[in-house]
Amino acid sequence: MPDIEFETVSQRIRALFESLTRAERQLANRMLENYPVSSMGSITTVAEEAGVSAPTVARMARKLGFSGFPDLQAALRRELEAAISDPITKHDHWASDADTTHILYRFTESVLDNLRNSLKQIDIEAFDRTVSLLSDRRHALHIVGGRITRSLADYFFTHMQVIRPDVTLVASNSNSWPHYLLNMQEGDVLVVFDIRRYEHNIVRLAEVAQSRGVSVVLITDQWGSPASKHSTVTFNLRIEVPSAWDSSVVPMTLVESLIAAVQADCWEETKARMKTLEDLFDHTKLFRKFL
Amino acid sequence: MPDIEFETVSQRIRALFESLTRAERQLANRMLENYPVSSMGSITTVAEEAGVSAPTVARMARKLGFSGFPDLQAALRRELEAAISDPITKHDHWASDADTTHILYRFTESVLDNLRNSLKQIDIEAFDRTVSLLSDRRHALHIVGGRITRSLADYFFTHMQVIRPDVTLVASNSNSWPHYLLNMQEGDVLVVFDIRRYEHNIVRLAEVAQSRGVSVVLITDQWGSPASKHSTVTFNLRIEVPSAWDSSVVPMTLVESLIAAVQADCWEETKARMKTLEDLFDHTKLFRKFL
DNA sequence: ACAATTCCGAAAATATAATTTCAAACACGC
DNA sequence: GCGTGTTTGAAATTATATTTTCGGAATTGT
């Protein structure tokens, strides 16, 4: 039986997380996922599902302050019973307590909404077409973002650079754009990020690029950047959140999905490139491996 | 395993109720009361709580079509898992049925899962504490990221820079870190992004910073960067997705939530700063307004 | 009321779960 | 790199849970 009665097991796991070892953290993560049902089976089952050994589970139970695994389970059952019989069960579950008004909760709800609404509107055709454009190593890829979207462009660039050769990040300072345009060939691809407070220069860049035979992929918001007049494919994403700024979460999700899809398309080459990259890192000792 | 797959245990109990004997009915009633948690303990406990003997419970499990009591329990766990996760998951069929195997769908589902699982684990206290740290204009704020998280750090920096003065983005090239450390005062705040393939240098940076009296806020993954030993607050976020890389969507959501919260805290000052920023943009015509 | 039948739980037998032990693997400081 | 302390799971051990057996109690039909 635990010393401190009013804590839930999940709270305790989170409190002790830092002091847990690798295998224990792996278990902790599994336990918190689908909590608490994922810990309701036998110690063997729980261990297997978390990918650790039974003794690890037993040790964990002790660390959490229980006399053993069965004791922990009993606590979980009591919690579950309380939670289920509680009329306020409707409570969207992941909001542990009465905090539905907390900014973190409202913000996340809003992001979840945006994700669902944006993604269901995306034309799979358009997505696949974009993936082919990005996978085509015969043509160079250029990426550009604006004041805020610069980071997204940078993120996209960092990954694409590993996946394939001939990837350029266009500096966000528009003075040097003519130089970049000079290097864009017919058939090249330009990925443009432009969300509201649309930037005039970016629109012009897209226009010029397209006029020179470059395929323009535009990632913009639900209202649409004027650059869409000059784009081959356009993605309109939801970006509104309870904040003074817009959210880049949905655009980032799209970017990562594209990365995942392109990477799958070019897997053989990407694998080789990643291997080389690893070697380079090892060699230059830029960072050490952990875990 | 039951013959008929689509029935719930409770439905089966009710269907067979008439054919049950006295002791069995007593047990059945207890099982349906506080269903299904009341049947989650050991057979002995369940029997005791229902006021019947263990063999009765075992026989009951067979009557209900299971191979034994453990089999029944497994079925209950599956039911419970489905019942608990469904209301949250709301598989909104936002995809046109056929495409549930498409990478875009799978990726987004995975992101949604990560969001729900990460956010429900965040300690609201820790979040609020971080917001106070970030809102405190008496102390400078430093931000640092690694190879991949650099973009995130940059994104965070871009926004915080507008909200408040004294914000520094620490260059990701570790050669210059001593210079940055030199400028960190006791009481300053350092926000560190470090997700897996943890970077040794970053861990050291956190260590040195903390030893010099700097509050370290660490944003890491579910396994936890070693830097957490040197941090004041740690956020463990889920980053696994069906891709060769990890996802930064959840970290970005946290970053944006923090931005929104800090901005609300410092609203008067932020509003003034945003106004000034607008004027500066107008003046230098760095970009033109649309909409 | 009294067999015949079914039901039920104590106790034994069996199966499974939980814990402990311990040696190999690992991370970490020097 | 090299030794030291920690972590970890396989295997052995112990504890517990589950099932089976079986005789007495309850129920039913006549």
Side-chain angles (χ1 to χ4, degrees), chain B:
Chain B
M1 191 64 74
D3 327 331
I4 310 161
E5 197 49 66
F6 49 86
E7 266 185 346
T8 69
V9 174
S10 69
Q11 285 174 318
R12 252 184 262 189
I13 294 178
R14 277 189 285 267
L16 291 180
F17 196 82
E18 290 310 320
S19 69
L20 297 179
T21 65
R22 184 187 54 72
E24 284 167 349
R25 290 186 185 196
Q26 194 173 322
L27 170 61
N29 281 319
R30 171 65 190 158
M31 286 176 70
L32 292 175
E33 199 177 290
N34 224 316
Y35 177 87
V37 192
S38 50
S39 319
M40 295 287 240
S42 74
I43 196 170
T44 327
T45 327
V46 174
E48 261 172 22
E49 298 212 332
V52 300
S53 70
T56 300
V57 182
R59 279 189 286 263
M60 177 82 153
R62 287 216 130 88
K63 270 204 184 176
L64 293 174
F66 298 97
S67 70
F69 182 71
D71 189 22
L72 181 149
Q73 271 198 335
L76 284 175
R77 268 200 305 280
R78 279 194 301 274
E79 271 182 35
L80 186 58
E81 189 161 357
I84 282 192
S85 56
D86 249 353
I88 320 172
T89 307
K90 268 209 193 268
H91 272 254
D92 250 345
H93 24 212
W94 55 265
S96 49
D97 297 333
D99 295 315
T100 53
T101 55
H102 192 280
I103 179 70
L104 182 59
Y105 177 90
R106 286 187 296 120
F107 197 95
T108 309
E109 274 302 311
S110 170
V111 165
L112 288 169
D113 266 1
N114 282 341
L115 265 174
R116 283 186 291 256
N117 277 318
S118 300
L119 274 294
K120 80 177 166 198
Q121 275 174 45
I122 287 186
D123 183 3
I124 301 282
E125 293 287 345
F127 182 88
D128 291 340
R129 207 147 13 98
T130 305
V131 171
S132 329
L133 283 174
L134 299 176
S135 304
D136 185 354
R137 273 143 298 172
R138 288 168 309 177
H139 300 294
L141 170 61
H142 310 264
I143 303 170
V144 67
R147 186 170 65 97
I148 300 286
T149 49
R150 196 195 55 225
S151 316
L152 262 177
D154 182 71
Y155 185 77
F156 189 41
F157 170 71
T158 304
H159 287 86
M160 289 307 293
Q161 205 185 15
V162 176
I163 295 179
R164 50 162 287 178
D166 292 324
V167 184
T168 319
L169 178 63
V170 176
S172 49
N173 168 14
S174 57
N175 292 337
S176 55
W177 286 358
H179 299 176
Y180 286 99
L181 278 163
L182 185 63
N183 285 316
M184 292 187 197
Q185 306 290 318
E186 191 168 335
D188 279 7
V189 180
L190 173 65
V191 176
V192 177
F193 292 85
D194 193 30
I195 64 176
R196 72 171 166 192
R197 295 313 300 279
Y198 311 117
E199 299 181 30
H200 190 236
N201 289 333
I202 290 222
V203 178
R204 299 297 299 273
L205 177 67
E207 183 175 6
V208 177
Q210 190 171 55
S211 75
R212 290 171 52 85
V214 172
S215 303
V216 175
V217 175
L218 174 66
I219 294 170
T220 183
D221 55 46
Q222 62 201 101
W223 302 280
S225 153
S228 57
K229 267 180 283 198
H230 315 295
S231 71
T232 315
V233 196
T234 303
F235 294 98
N236 294 99
L237 309 172
R238 311 234 164 192
I239 57 166
E240 274 188 311
V241 279
S243 166
W245 285 276
D246 293 317
S247 169
S248 296
V249 170
V250 179
M252 176 167 268
T253 306
L254 176 64
V255 159
E256 290 188 347
S257 303
L258 286 170
I259 291 169
V262 172
Q263 166 251 121
D265 252 26
C266 316
W267 185 231
E268 281 314 313
E269 181 170 358
T270 302
K271 201 164 63 179
R273 290 174 65 88
M274 284 178 84
K275 175 75 173 60
T276 311
L277 182 65
E278 290 296 318
D279 293 348
L280 287 169
F281 273 128
D282 278 357
H283 189 254
T284 57
K285 291 191 203 296
L286 273 178
F287 63 69
R288 264 175 65 189
K289 285 189 210 168
F290 271 81
L291 283 190

